[in-house]
Amino acid sequence: DTASLTGKDLAAAINADTTARAQALTEQAGRAPRLALIVANADPASAWYVNSLKKSAANRGIDCDTVDLGADASADTLRTELAVRSADPETDAIMLQTPLPPGVTLDEVSPAIVATKDVDGVSPLSLGLLTAGSAGFAPATAEAVVELLKHHGIELAGRHVAVVGRSNVVGKPLAQLLLAENATVTICHSRTANLPQVTAAADVVVAAAGRIGLVTGANVREGAVVIDVGTNEAADGKIVGDVDAESVRGIAAGLSPVPGGVGPVTTALLMRHVVLAAERAR
Ligand code: NAD
């Protein structure tokens, strides 16, 4: 039987801790921890996500300052706002929403976020700090995968983990976090030859490619653990992962659901990062 590796209990436990710490910070400093959420798009999916972040922040006792710079904001405008917030002692944490305006890349604006406030680990400095094993913030989604595995008692030390996806926000930082847990890590991507054989050799498979049905029961080994990071919109409008859950069930020892797996843990960790940034700053 394949266990459902849900993230709801873990998210609730993290959220309870964050709420208590946010309250303690508010009592000490006379103001709540503050997150600046910078938006420069007119994307409905992004608007939905911003709304859900605002709600989570409110539920934790965190102030959320949403700054909409408009869907045609220039790289300079974004950099200036990020730099102002980086220097502002009243702002504890900064998140930059994607997508960015056409022609503006994350690479050219994210360095303006000071690492101590970069709660979603998007700047090159944050990724470098993570790679070096120094204190910094890992992207919340990557961290959520490791926290979910630990929560469900899945051993990582010495085991072979195949990560499918090499983006700077998920695959690469996740590989670093897994190395820090002493896993043996294989990073796969769109140019990987014989992907099914690579994933079939792994004890743990993490699917983070953004491709519906990429990982099936035929390419995981019996007793493997499968974590599904994908959030794809199916033809019927539903959100589905990268894993063909039907075919994996009965083969894998555990599979994280979409929705309800990595997602809620990601949001909970983001809010924990905001509180951590505020604690470190004061
Ligand atoms: P991305 O598009 O930046 O990167 C995708 C990666 O997958 C690339 O490295 C690419 O090489 C690889 N890839 C693409 N097709 C492949 C294939 N056929 N075989 C092997 N590798 C392939 O995406 P991302 O931002 O890293 O996000 C990945 C997925 O995770 C998306 O579905 C995204 O929506 C989801 N996501 C979920 C959360 C969450 O909180 N649950 C957060 C962020 C991203």
Side-chain angles (χ1 to χ4, degrees):
D1 250 24
T2 302
S4 180
L5 308 177
T6 70
K8 288 180 178 168
D9 292 351
L10 174 57
I14 295 169
N15 285 338
D17 175 64
T18 301
T19 307
R21 284 158 74 170
Q23 194 182 345
L25 281 162
T26 305
E27 281 162 13
Q28 282 160 27
R31 69 160 176 89
R34 185 165 300 137
L35 166 69
L37 200 52
I38 316 297
V39 185
N41 65 61
D43 184 69
S46 164
W48 183 89
Y49 187 57
V50 165
N51 224 354
S52 86
L53 284 174
K54 278 193 204 166
K55 269 191 223 152
S56 322
N59 289 338
R60 307 282 82 77
I62 292 168
D63 276 353
C64 184
D65 232 352
T66 310
V67 185
D68 192 345
L69 298 174
D72 57 357
S74 68
D76 266 338
T77 302
L78 275 153
R79 272 193 294 262
T80 301
E81 181 64 28
L82 295 171
V84 166
R85 293 288 176 162
S86 289
D88 172 23
E90 303 277 292
T91 300
D92 298 298
I94 301 169
M95 266 191 80
L96 175 60
Q97 267 304 115
T98 54
L100 294 171
V104 178
T105 66
L106 193 56
D107 283 1
E108 61 181 333
V109 295
S110 67
I113 307 173
V114 68
T116 49
K117 299 184 185 183
D118 185 14
V119 286
D120 207 13
V122 294
S123 84
L125 181 57
S126 292
L127 186 57
L129 289 169
L130 183 66
T131 303
S134 306
F137 290 110
T141 305
E143 192 178 333
V145 172
V146 174
E147 292 302 313
L148 191 63
L149 286 164
K150 285 185 180 174
H151 172 74
H152 288 284
I154 291 142
E155 187 67 47
L156 288 169
R159 301 186 79 202
H160 180 194
V161 184
V163 177
V164 188
R166 60 170 162 187
S167 72
N168 284 345
V169 289
V170 190
K172 269 188 225 169
L174 174 57
Q176 298 302 333
L177 291 169
L178 290 165
L179 281 177
E181 298 294 329
N182 300 309
T184 300
V185 185
T186 304
I187 309 172
C188 314
H189 45 79
S190 54
R191 303 284 295 274
T192 294
N194 306 321
L195 180 68
Q197 283 93 317
V198 179
T199 54
D203 301 307
V204 177
V205 177
V206 183
R211 297 281 180 276
I212 296 175
L214 183 65
V215 173
T216 70
N219 39 54
V220 299
R221 85 166 174 225
E222 208 168 330
V225 168
V226 183
I227 302 294
D228 195 349
V229 182
T231 50
N232 313 294
E233 197 178 327
D236 60 4
K238 283 192 185 136
I239 297 297
V240 298
D242 288 359
V243 177
D244 177 25
E246 232 21 70
S247 69
V248 165
R249 263 186 218 111
I251 295 174
L255 168 65
S256 71
V258 177
V262 173
V265 183
T266 298
T267 309
L269 286 174
L270 269 174
M271 296 304 147
R272 167 185 276 175
H273 288 180
V274 175
V275 160
L276 271 170
E279 286 173 352
R280 289 172 188 167
R282 292 178 197 180

